[in-house]
Amino acid sequence: MATEPKTLDDLFLDTLKDIYYAEKQILKVLPKMAKAAKSPELKQAFEKHRDETETHVERLADVFEIIGKAPRGKTCDAILGIIEEGKSIIEEFEGSPALDAGLLASAQAVEHYEISRYGTLKAWAQQLGLANAVKLLDQTLTEELKTDQALSSLGESKVNKQAQAKAA
């Protein structure tokens, strides 16, 4: 018996499950990153993003509701790999002046993954005529972009310089 070809609706749901899982994993790791960070500004950035991530999970649950599905995650190997890299940096650079720069870079890898996923989901929601989902996904995408920019600014203005200055 032939199976029906998969549609954009299927791909949207699959990707929604992926980012839902990813956000839940990010919620678990952000406190560890904040604890490992030496820079008070970086600690604060991680704590702020943890609060935002809780809101992102709630918005994703709302998107699931819009499409009539229960919020469920699907293992996201990409985010697990990015998180594992972050854990390696904590272990390998603990006590090093470069630790915060490594943590910041790991956080930006997470942000870039999220930006990619939310941008794609927003485009697909537009294509599928899910106006309310578009609004929710756009809110989160905007916050992820702001977080990425804040991390870049923190890296350029302080964290990267501290890593280099102390090593010299």
Side-chain angles (χ1 to χ4, degrees), residues 21 26-27 56-57 102 105-106 130 134 145-146:
Y21 177 89
I26 292 162
L27 273 176
H56 300 167
V57 170
S106 294
L130 303 169
V134 170
L145 288 164
K146 283 181 185 173

Side-chain angles (χ1 to χ4, degrees), residues 139-151:
Q139 281 180 288
T140 300
L141 178 59
T142 298
E143 289 170 5
E144 299 291 9
L145 288 164
K146 283 181 185 173
T147 297
D148 182 53
Q149 184 56 49
L151 288 170

Side-chain angles (χ1 to χ4, degrees), residues 22-168:
E23 291 284 24
K24 294 276 202 158
Q25 295 303 308
I26 292 162
L27 273 176
K28 292 178 190 175
V29 79
L30 278 168
K32 294 173 187 168
M33 293 177 76
K35 184 178 178 187
K38 300 302 173 213
S39 160
E41 295 90 346
L42 188 57
K43 279 184 188 292
Q44 183 180 18
F46 290 151
E47 290 164 358
K48 178 182 180 208
H49 195 58
R50 187 191 185 288
D51 294 343
E52 286 179 350
T53 301
E54 287 178 346
T55 301
H56 300 167
V57 170
E58 291 168 13
R59 281 191 200 127
L60 288 170
D62 291 343
V63 174
F64 276 105
E65 188 176 316
I66 288 168
I67 62 170
K69 302 287 182 183
R72 256 190 36 234
K74 171 187 166 189
T75 301
C76 172
D77 292 328
I79 205 65
L80 291 176
I82 293 169
I83 288 170
E84 196 54 44
E85 283 181 12
K87 288 177 183 175
S88 293
I89 286 173
I90 291 171
E91 291 170 14
E92 292 174 30
F93 288 85
E94 187 177 10
S96 159
L99 175 62
D100 281 355
L103 287 170
L104 192 144
S106 294
Q108 284 197 287
V110 168
E111 290 309 306
H112 295 171
Y113 182 77
E114 291 175 304
I115 289 165
S116 169
R117 285 296 186 218
Y118 283 110
T120 297
L121 284 167
K122 178 185 167 189
W124 289 344
Q126 287 170 323
Q127 182 69 34
L128 295 168
L130 303 169
N132 290 335
V134 170
K135 288 177 193 167
L136 293 169
L137 294 164
D138 186 58
Q139 281 180 288
T140 300
L141 178 59
T142 298
E143 289 170 5
E144 299 291 9
L145 288 164
K146 283 181 185 173
T147 297
D148 182 53
Q149 184 56 49
L151 288 170
S152 288
S153 295
L154 183 57
E156 291 165 7
S157 69
K158 186 170 187 175
V159 172
N160 295 340
K161 290 176 184 174
Q162 287 177 333
Q164 184 182 25
K166 289 180 183 175

